[in-house]
Amino acid sequence: MKRTKIKYALNAEAPMPEILIKGWVRTKRDNKGFSFVELNDGSCLANIQAVIDHTPEIVAVLDKVGTGASVAIEGELIESPGKGQKWEVRGKSIELLGEADQETFPLQKKRHSDEFLRGIAHLRPRTNKYGAIFRMRSELAQAVHKFFADNDFFYIHTPIITGSDCEGAGEMFRVTTLEPGSKEGAENDFFGQPSSLTVSGQLSVEMFALSLGDCYTFGPTFRAENSNTPRHVAEFWMIEPEIAFADLADDMDLAEEMVKYLVQHMLDNCAEDIELFAKWVDKTLMPTLETILNEPFERLQYTKAIEILKKTKKKFDYPVEWGMDLQTEHERFLCEEKFKKPVFVYDYPKTIKPFYMRMNDDNETVAAMDLLVPRIGELVGGSQREERMDVLTSRMDEMELDKEDYWWYLDSRRYGTAPHAGFGMGFERMLMLVTGVSNIRDVMPFPRTPKSLEF
């Protein structure tokens, strides 16, 4: 008999004379002559209850069944006489698929701290909270692809191993086949030159935007940044669209449209899971998401943002001065307290932004933007790209970049350059936004952080 996923069984329109469910035991309660077994198979938040009459054969199996064990139960789906559930399974047989040692199984019927569960990341998806997070992660990834497909973007697979430092910050993981401590030069390495894990697919996807039109890449990126904040990890996923024949206003329009689309999609398709987070994780989650859907995002020049931050009576840990990069406390003040909705800050000083961002006419700022959202701060960072060859090479000289390393990138400006713009959205930060989860480690299956490479 084919297995029926629990989410389909719970939403059945009529009783089923034969059903096979498989899953992991959440609870087992033995009574005189029968037992209740609650199962969850990960397909939804809710468990299904099976009622099984005792026979010598069934009792022999039930004696080995405890919390965490995996079982298969055959029976019929019937209307439940109990409150809070429409259906239950009247079990006719039970098979133990995998026993769980009750003395050492770490997940019991109580609330465990997030810190404790991070230490058993391989088992935490079996809890209600983390099962919901990773179902939502899957749905959000599908929604990203659907958004771009519906908007006629091409999906480009950009390299994970690169010889270019897109951000110019140098915080990259080296890739090498040379033995540890080897004194051989990079010319003897696998690629014959220094190579690293990518921090962004942007430069590569730009080439395709200047060939095929609107494109995006969506994949893992890596930053060797020794930061242990709730918003940073060493390996994370980035959504990076590039819009052909576009300027900064087009860039902000796309980012706003995308965030609203993703929030609505998740509310439409993950209502039960979102309800769990709204009840137990963040009481302000639903109002935050409703504001995102119903309010136009604020658009604020960087210079004006600095003026607002300077005039407020709120005390910040980091003093505010023109020319500084905004810190999380500044970002959150703007979107949570000042405007109470998402805020685009744009036209940043050129000194704090990468070489590829388009220079404004003032020669002091670039056409860059960050989208700030409540609880998180920066969700999106993007810019209009510098399409003018002479300005681009001048910026590279200012930043002491070797133009030979970017010969292929400069070719795109040498042969048929055109205005274009794009941004990067942290996938995990978007997931934090729609769940209310405050630590990025909790929305990643196996987070990679400084001094931590478990699992």
Side-chain angles (χ1 to χ4, degrees):
M1 188 187 307
K2 185 178 179 181
R3 174 173 79 99
T4 298
K5 289 188 176 182
I6 288 174
K7 72 173 180 179
Y8 296 122
L10 292 173
N11 289 296
E13 296 182 356
M16 300 169 63
E18 291 186 334
I19 189 172
L20 170 63
I21 56 171
K22 297 180 180 180
W24 292 270
V25 175
R26 288 293 179 87
T27 62
K28 183 191 74 169
R29 305 193 313 277
D30 295 322
N31 290 307
K32 189 174 183 180
F34 64 94
S35 293
F36 293 108
V37 179
E38 274 198 57
L39 288 188
N40 188 283
D41 65 358
S43 64
C44 62
L45 182 62
N47 305 327
I48 196 166
Q49 178 176 275
V51 185
I52 308 175
D53 289 332
H54 290 170
T55 66
E57 295 81 8
I58 285 175
V59 169
V61 175
L62 286 172
D63 283 345
K64 299 177 182 178
V65 170
T67 301
S70 64
V71 299
I73 297 176
E74 284 190 57
E76 58 180 320
L77 188 70
I78 62 172
E79 290 190 34
S80 175
K83 292 183 178 181
Q85 56 194 19
K86 182 179 179 181
W87 304 106
E88 67 181 26
V89 175
R90 172 63 67 177
K92 297 178 181 177
S93 69
I94 181 170
E95 178 186 0
L96 178 63
L97 302 175
E99 196 170 347
D101 185 339
Q102 295 304 288
E103 291 187 7
T104 59
F105 184 60
L107 297 174
Q108 299 303 320
K109 195 174 182 181
K110 65 176 183 178
R111 292 192 70 179
H112 297 288
S113 71
D114 291 331
E115 193 64 40
F116 170 76
L117 291 171
R118 286 177 205 135
I120 51 168
H122 58 304
L123 294 175
R124 64 180 179 169
R126 296 203 199 171
T127 66
N128 285 341
K129 177 180 177 180
Y130 287 92
I133 285 173
F134 295 117
R135 279 190 297 272
M136 289 181 66
R137 185 181 175 107
S138 174
E139 187 64 38
L140 185 63
Q142 297 291 338
V144 168
H145 290 299
K146 187 173 188 305
F147 172 80
F148 286 120
D150 290 350
N151 284 278
D152 292 326
F153 278 69
F154 294 108
Y155 180 28
I156 308 300
H157 297 128
T158 52
I160 289 177
I161 300 174
T162 181
S164 301
D165 182 359
C166 176
E167 299 297 325
E171 294 170 328
M172 303 176 76
F173 289 100
R174 287 290 307 276
V175 175
T176 180
T177 57
L178 297 178
E179 292 293 326
S182 172
K183 295 182 180 179
E184 293 186 78
E187 66 276 6
N188 295 314
D189 208 343
F190 185 87
F191 293 107
Q193 67 178 72
S195 55
S196 304
L197 296 177
T198 185
V199 299
S200 170
Q202 177 207 311
L203 301 190
S204 298
V205 84
E206 275 190 62
M207 303 303 99
F208 282 82
L210 292 171
S211 303
L212 303 181
D214 300 341
C215 296
Y216 76 104
T217 187
F218 178 21
T221 54
F222 310 85
R223 295 196 183 179
E225 183 179 2
N226 191 13
S227 179
N228 264 310
T229 78
R231 302 190 311 146
H232 292 92
V233 281
E235 176 185 348
F236 54 98
W237 282 62
M238 286 284 284
I239 307 159
E240 297 179 283
E242 202 70 29
I243 326 166
F245 309 107
D247 61 16
L248 185 64
D250 298 319
D251 208 25
M252 290 189 281
D253 288 345
L254 181 70
E256 181 167 352
E257 181 186 355
M258 183 177 176
V259 171
K260 288 178 182 287
Y261 174 92
L262 294 177
V263 167
Q264 187 64 64
H265 181 96
M266 297 304 283
L267 288 170
D268 291 343
N269 292 276
C270 300
E272 183 185 41
D273 288 332
I274 288 178
E275 185 180 347
L276 173 115
F277 293 103
K279 183 177 181 180
W280 298 106
V281 176
D282 181 6
K283 303 288 188 185
T284 69
L285 179 60
M286 293 310 297
T288 297
L289 299 182
E290 288 164 6
T291 297
I292 288 171
L293 291 177
N294 299 325
E295 295 279 343
F297 295 178
E298 189 70 28
R299 300 193 180 190
L300 182 70
Q301 278 192 311
Y302 169 89
T303 299
K304 181 64 176 175
I306 293 296
E307 291 174 4
I308 290 172
L309 291 167
K310 278 189 164 186
K311 288 179 180 177
T312 183
K313 296 179 180 178
K314 186 179 179 70
K315 299 299 181 184
F316 297 113
D317 292 333
Y318 293 88
V320 178
E321 293 294 338
W322 197 96
M324 67 174 292
D325 205 356
L326 298 182
Q327 301 296 315
T328 302
E329 60 176 343
H330 308 136
E331 296 170 341
R332 293 188 60 177
F333 170 80
L334 291 171
C335 60
E336 292 176 12
E337 299 183 44
K338 176 62 180 178
F339 295 101
K340 296 182 171 59
K341 62 179 180 178
V343 177
F344 283 107
V345 177
Y346 64 97
D347 287 350
Y348 279 83
K350 67 177 183 179
T351 53
I352 59 173
K353 291 297 181 182
F355 72 95
Y356 52 75
M357 295 186 173
R358 195 181 200 276
M359 185 73 69
N360 288 327
D361 292 341
D362 61 12
N363 205 39
E364 293 293 329
T365 63
V366 290
M369 64 84 173
D370 288 338
L371 175 59
L372 316 178
V373 296
R375 286 188 296 96
I376 295 165
E378 182 189 340
L379 174 65
V380 169
S383 71
Q384 183 174 346
R385 313 312 189 189
E386 183 56 78
E387 85 280 10
R388 299 165 296 185
M389 181 72 158
D390 57 335
V391 181
L392 181 63
T393 54
S394 176
R395 284 283 288 146
M396 295 177 79
D397 289 338
E398 282 181 25
M399 302 184 77
E400 299 182 350
L401 296 176
D402 187 345
K403 290 191 282 294
E404 289 186 8
D405 292 341
Y406 298 89
W407 65 269
W408 55 276
Y409 187 74
L410 293 173
D411 269 1
S412 67
R413 274 59 172 178
R414 185 175 287 114
Y415 307 125
T417 187
H420 59 291
F423 62 78
M425 174 189 288
F427 178 66
E428 283 81 14
R429 290 190 184 184
M430 185 67 214
L431 188 54
M432 291 167 69
L433 179 64
V434 294
T435 58
V437 170
S438 59
N439 195 316
I440 195 170
R441 294 167 176 80
D442 297 332
V443 297
M444 307 194 74
F446 301 105
R448 287 2 188 164
T449 56
K451 302 296 187 292
S452 178
L453 189 65
E454 300 293 335
F455 314 107

